[in-house]
Structures are given as structure tokens and as C-alpha cells.
């Protein structure tokens, strides 16, 4: 599909929630470089980025979306860095 084409409702096959999504580098996938593994709703997706900085950006973006997918009341409190006294 060309990037310039617009999608309409009939093109949408499935919609996913970012709730409990896991993402990270697919280091065990050796067929291609810069592959990200995303697991959500019992399914797994492999995404290929153009370079390492893009991999980092994608993983950070997916993890940020996962963090805000929960309602405020259900979100765990963020843990900051621990410094010894």
C-alpha cells in the first residue's frame, strides 16, 4: 500500500489496545537487522527499523504508549533512580 493512500473503515482488520503491551529488541531474530518484537493481546509483531537510533525511538515510543494506556487509577507509580545515602 502506498503511504499517500488514505485508509477508510473497511480497510481496518483489527484494532489493538496498548494495555499490557511488551516491546523490545528481537535479538534472537537473525534474518534481518534492527528488528523490534511487540507482543500485545496474545499476538506478536516484528517491526524492522532502518537503523539503531530508530529502533530506540520506536521502543521508547511503544513503551511510553503502553505506560499511558492504563487509567490513572490503575497505573503504577513511577520509580525514580535509587541513590545510596
Amino acid at each position: 500500500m502506498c503511504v499517500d493512500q488514505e485508509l477508510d473503515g473497511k480497510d481496518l482488520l483489527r484494532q489493538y489496545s496498548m494495555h499490557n503491551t511488551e516491546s523490545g529488541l528481537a535479538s534472537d531474530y537473525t534474518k534481518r537487522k534492527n528488528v523490534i518484537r511487540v507482543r500485545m493481546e496474545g499476538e506478536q509483531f516484528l517491526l524492522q527499523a532502518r537503523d539503531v537510533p530508530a529502533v530506540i525511538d520506536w521502543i521508547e515510543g511503544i513503551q511510553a504508549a503502553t505506560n499511558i494506556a492504563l487509567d490513572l487509577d490503575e497505573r503504577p507509580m513511577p520509580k525514580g533512580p535509587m541513590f545510596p545515602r
Side-chain angles (χ1 to χ4, degrees):
M1 177 178 285
C2 180
V3 175
D4 295 334
Q5 292 177 334
E6 288 192 30
L7 299 175
D8 57 16
K10 67 181 170 124
D11 294 323
L12 183 63
L13 299 178
R14 174 129 190 231
Q15 187 172 325
Y16 293 92
S17 168
M18 295 300 290
H19 180 78
N20 293 327
T21 297
E22 297 177 2
S23 62
L25 184 64
S27 57
D28 59 332
Y29 187 79
T30 58
K31 291 183 182 180
R32 297 182 187 270
K33 293 181 179 181
N34 305 321
V35 176
I36 303 160
R37 175 176 284 118
V38 180
R39 292 184 176 124
M40 60 176 58
E41 297 183 15
E43 298 192 37
Q44 172 177 278
F45 303 91
L46 297 175
L47 310 173
Q48 183 180 19
R50 68 179 167 276
D51 54 20
V52 173
V55 168
I56 294 167
D57 289 343
W58 271 98
I59 291 173
E60 287 179 346
I62 292 168
Q63 289 177 348
T66 302
N67 289 338
I68 63 171
L70 290 173
D71 290 335
L72 284 173
D73 293 335
E74 297 177 20
R75 290 185 203 168
M77 290 298 293
K79 295 179 182 173
M82 300 297 285
F83 298 104
R85 291 184 177 205

